[in-house]
Coordinates of all heavy atoms in Angstrom, one line a residue:
Chain B
D486 N 3.0 11.6 -15.8 CA 1.9 10.6 -15.9 C 2.0 9.8 -17.2 O 1.1 9.8 -18.0 CB 0.6 11.3 -15.9 CG 0.3 12.0 -14.6 OD1 0.4 11.3 -13.6 OD2 0.1 13.2 -14.6
F487 N 3.1 9.0 -17.3 CA 3.2 8.3 -18.5 C 3.0 6.8 -18.3 O 3.4 5.9 -19.1 CB 4.5 8.6 -19.3 CG 5.7 8.4 -18.3 CD1 6.3 7.2 -18.2 CD2 6.1 9.5 -17.6 CE1 7.4 7.1 -17.4 CE2 7.2 9.4 -16.8 CZ 7.8 8.2 -16.7
M488 N 2.5 6.4 -17.1 CA 2.4 5.0 -16.9 C 0.9 4.8 -16.3 O 0.3 5.7 -15.9 CB 3.3 4.5 -15.8 CG 4.8 4.6 -16.3 SD 5.9 4.0 -15.0 CE 6.1 5.5 -14.0
D489 N 0.5 3.5 -16.3 CA -0.9 3.3 -15.9 C -1.0 3.4 -14.4 O -0.1 3.0 -13.6 CB -1.2 1.8 -16.2 CG -1.3 1.6 -17.6 OD1 -1.7 2.5 -18.4 OD2 -0.9 0.4 -18.1
S490 N -2.1 4.0 -14.0 CA -2.3 4.2 -12.5 C -2.9 2.9 -12.0 O -3.5 2.1 -12.7 CB -3.2 5.4 -12.3 OG -3.8 5.2 -11.1
L491 N -2.8 2.7 -10.6 CA -3.3 1.5 -10.0 C -4.8 1.6 -9.8 O -5.4 0.6 -9.6 CB -2.7 1.4 -8.6 CG -1.2 0.9 -8.6 CD1 -1.0 0.6 -7.1 CD2 -1.0 -0.3 -9.4
E492 N -5.3 2.8 -9.9 CA -6.7 2.8 -9.5 C -7.7 2.2 -10.5 O -8.8 2.0 -10.1 CB -7.1 4.3 -9.2 CG -7.1 5.2 -10.4 CD -7.6 6.6 -10.1 OE1 -8.2 6.7 -9.0 OE2 -7.3 7.4 -10.9
H493 N -7.2 2.0 -11.7 CA -8.1 1.4 -12.6 C -7.9 -0.1 -12.8 O -8.3 -0.8 -13.7 CB -7.9 2.0 -14.0 CG -8.2 3.5 -14.0 ND1 -9.4 4.0 -13.6 CD2 -7.4 4.5 -14.2 CE1 -9.3 5.3 -13.7 NE2 -8.1 5.7 -14.0
D494 N -7.2 -0.7 -11.8 CA -6.9 -2.1 -11.9 C -8.2 -2.9 -11.7 O -9.1 -2.6 -11.0 CB -5.9 -2.5 -10.8 CG -4.5 -2.6 -11.3 OD1 -4.3 -2.2 -12.5 OD2 -3.7 -3.0 -10.6
F495 N -8.2 -4.0 -12.4 CA -9.4 -4.8 -12.4 C -9.0 -6.1 -11.7 O -8.0 -6.7 -12.1 CB -9.9 -5.1 -13.8 CG -11.2 -5.8 -13.8 CD1 -12.3 -5.1 -13.5 CD2 -11.2 -7.2 -14.0 CE1 -13.5 -5.7 -13.5 CE2 -12.4 -7.8 -14.0 CZ -13.6 -7.1 -13.8
P496 N -9.7 -6.8 -10.8 CA -10.9 -6.3 -10.2 C -10.7 -5.2 -9.2 O -9.6 -5.1 -8.6 CB -11.5 -7.5 -9.5 CG -10.3 -8.3 -9.3 CD -9.3 -8.1 -10.4
K497 N -11.7 -4.4 -9.1 CA -11.5 -3.2 -8.2 C -11.4 -3.7 -6.8 O -12.1 -4.6 -6.3 CB -12.8 -2.4 -8.3 CG -12.5 -1.0 -8.0 CD -13.5 -0.1 -8.5 CE -13.1 1.3 -8.0 NZ -13.5 2.4 -8.6
G498 N -10.5 -3.2 -6.1 CA -10.2 -3.6 -4.7 C -9.2 -4.7 -4.6 O -9.0 -5.3 -3.6
S499 N -8.4 -4.8 -5.7 CA -7.4 -5.9 -5.6 C -6.1 -5.3 -4.9 O -5.1 -6.0 -4.9 CB -7.1 -6.4 -7.0 OG -6.6 -5.4 -7.8
W500 N -6.2 -4.1 -4.5 CA -5.0 -3.6 -3.7 C -5.5 -3.2 -2.3 O -6.6 -2.6 -2.2 CB -4.5 -2.3 -4.4 CG -3.8 -2.6 -5.6 CD1 -4.2 -2.6 -6.9 CD2 -2.4 -3.0 -5.7 NE1 -3.3 -3.0 -7.8 CE2 -2.1 -3.2 -7.1 CE3 -1.4 -3.2 -4.8 CZ2 -0.9 -3.6 -7.6 CZ3 -0.1 -3.6 -5.3 CH2 0.1 -3.8 -6.6
S501 N -4.7 -3.6 -1.3 CA -5.0 -3.1 0.0 C -4.0 -2.1 0.4 O -2.8 -2.3 0.3 CB -5.0 -4.3 0.9 OG -4.3 -4.0 2.1
I502 N -4.5 -0.9 0.8 CA -3.7 0.2 1.1 C -3.8 0.5 2.6 O -4.9 0.7 3.1 CB -4.0 1.4 0.2 CG1 -3.1 2.5 0.5 CG2 -5.4 1.8 0.3 CD1 -3.1 3.6 -0.6
Q503 N -2.7 0.5 3.3 CA -2.8 0.7 4.7 C -1.7 1.6 5.2 O -0.6 1.7 4.6 CB -2.5 -0.6 5.4 CG -3.6 -1.6 5.4 CD -3.2 -2.9 6.0 OE1 -2.2 -2.9 6.7 NE2 -4.0 -3.9 5.8
M504 N -1.9 2.3 6.3 CA -0.9 3.0 6.9 C -0.4 2.2 8.1 O -1.1 1.7 8.9 CB -1.4 4.4 7.4 CG -2.1 5.2 6.4 SD -1.0 5.8 5.1 CE 0.0 6.9 6.0
E505 N 0.9 2.1 8.2 CA 1.5 1.3 9.3 C 2.4 2.2 10.1 O 2.7 3.4 9.7 CB 2.2 0.1 8.8 CG 1.4 -0.9 8.2 CD 2.0 -2.3 8.2 OE1 3.2 -2.3 8.6 OE2 1.4 -3.2 7.8
R506 N 2.8 1.7 11.2 CA 3.7 2.4 12.1 C 3.2 3.8 12.4 O 3.9 4.8 12.3 CB 5.1 2.6 11.4 CG 5.8 1.3 11.4 CD 7.0 1.4 10.5 NE 7.6 0.1 10.4 CZ 8.7 -0.2 11.0 NH1 9.4 0.6 11.7 NH2 9.2 -1.5 10.8
G507 N 1.9 3.9 12.7 CA 1.4 5.2 13.0 C 1.4 6.2 11.9 O 1.9 7.3 12.1
N508 N 1.0 5.8 10.7 CA 0.9 6.8 9.7 C 2.2 7.3 9.1 O 2.3 8.3 8.4 CB 0.1 8.1 10.1 CG -1.3 7.9 9.8 OD1 -1.8 6.8 9.5 ND2 -2.0 9.0 9.7
T509 N 3.3 6.7 9.4 CA 4.5 7.1 8.8 C 5.0 6.2 7.7 O 6.0 6.4 7.1 CB 5.7 7.1 9.9 OG1 5.7 5.8 10.4 CG2 5.4 8.1 10.9
L510 N 4.2 5.2 7.4 CA 4.5 4.3 6.3 C 3.3 3.9 5.6 O 2.3 3.5 6.3 CB 5.3 3.1 6.9 CG 5.8 2.1 5.9 CD1 7.0 2.8 5.2 CD2 6.3 0.9 6.7
V511 N 3.2 4.0 4.4 CA 2.1 3.5 3.7 C 2.5 2.2 2.9 O 3.5 2.1 2.3 CB 1.5 4.5 2.7 CG1 2.6 4.9 1.6 CG2 0.3 4.0 2.0
V512 N 1.6 1.2 3.1 CA 1.9 -0.1 2.6 C 0.8 -0.6 1.6 O -0.3 -0.5 2.0 CB 2.1 -1.2 3.7 CG1 2.3 -2.6 3.1 CG2 3.2 -0.8 4.6
L513 N 1.2 -0.9 0.4 CA 0.2 -1.5 -0.5 C 0.5 -3.0 -0.6 O 1.6 -3.4 -0.8 CB 0.4 -0.9 -1.9 CG -0.4 0.3 -2.2 CD1 0.2 1.5 -1.6 CD2 -0.5 0.5 -3.7
R514 N -0.6 -3.7 -0.5 CA -0.4 -5.2 -0.7 C -1.3 -5.6 -1.9 O -2.5 -5.2 -1.9 CB -0.8 -5.9 0.6 CG 0.2 -5.7 1.7 CD 0.1 -6.7 2.7 NE 1.0 -6.4 3.8 CZ 0.7 -5.7 4.9 NH1 -0.5 -5.3 5.0 NH2 1.6 -5.3 5.7
S515 N -0.8 -6.4 -2.7 CA -1.6 -6.9 -3.8 C -2.4 -8.1 -3.3 O -1.9 -9.0 -2.7 CB -0.8 -7.3 -5.0 OG -1.5 -8.0 -5.9
L516 N -3.7 -8.1 -3.6 CA -4.5 -9.3 -3.2 C -4.6 -10.3 -4.4 O -4.9 -11.4 -4.2 CB -5.9 -8.8 -2.9 CG -6.0 -7.8 -1.8 CD1 -7.4 -7.3 -1.6 CD2 -5.4 -8.3 -0.5
L517 N -4.2 -9.8 -5.6 CA -4.2 -10.7 -6.7 C -3.0 -11.6 -6.7 O -3.1 -12.8 -7.1 CB -4.3 -9.9 -8.0 CG -4.7 -10.6 -9.2 CD1 -6.0 -11.4 -9.0 CD2 -4.9 -9.7 -10.4
W518 N -1.9 -11.1 -6.3 CA -0.7 -11.8 -6.2 C -0.2 -11.7 -4.7 O 0.6 -10.8 -4.4 CB 0.4 -11.3 -7.1 CG 0.1 -11.4 -8.5 CD1 -0.5 -10.5 -9.3 CD2 0.3 -12.5 -9.4 NE1 -0.7 -10.9 -10.6 CE2 -0.2 -12.2 -10.7 CE3 0.9 -13.8 -9.2 CZ2 -0.1 -13.1 -11.7 CZ3 0.9 -14.7 -10.2 CH2 0.5 -14.3 -11.5
P519 N -0.7 -12.5 -3.9 CA -0.4 -12.3 -2.5 C 1.0 -12.6 -2.2 O 1.6 -13.6 -2.6 CB -1.3 -13.4 -1.7 CG -1.7 -14.3 -2.8 CD -1.6 -13.7 -4.1
G520 N 1.6 -11.6 -1.5 CA 3.0 -11.7 -1.3 C 3.8 -10.5 -1.8 O 4.9 -10.2 -1.4
L521 N 3.1 -9.7 -2.6 CA 3.7 -8.5 -3.1 C 3.4 -7.4 -2.2 O 2.3 -7.0 -1.9 CB 3.1 -8.2 -4.5 CG 3.7 -7.1 -5.4 CD1 3.4 -5.7 -5.0 CD2 5.2 -7.3 -5.6

Side-chain angles (χ1 to χ4, degrees):
Chain B
D486 294 305
F487 51 90
M488 293 181 280
D489 295 327
S490 156
L491 285 191
E492 64 177 342
H493 301 300
D494 261 9
F495 187 79
K497 207 159 173 155
S499 60
W500 287 95
S501 136
I502 180 165
Q503 282 177 17
M504 305 293 294
E505 286 202 0
R506 289 169 187 251
N508 266 19
T509 54
L510 185 68
V511 61
V512 175
L513 266 78
R514 292 199 182 94
S515 167
L516 303 177
L517 195 54
W518 295 95
L521 191 283

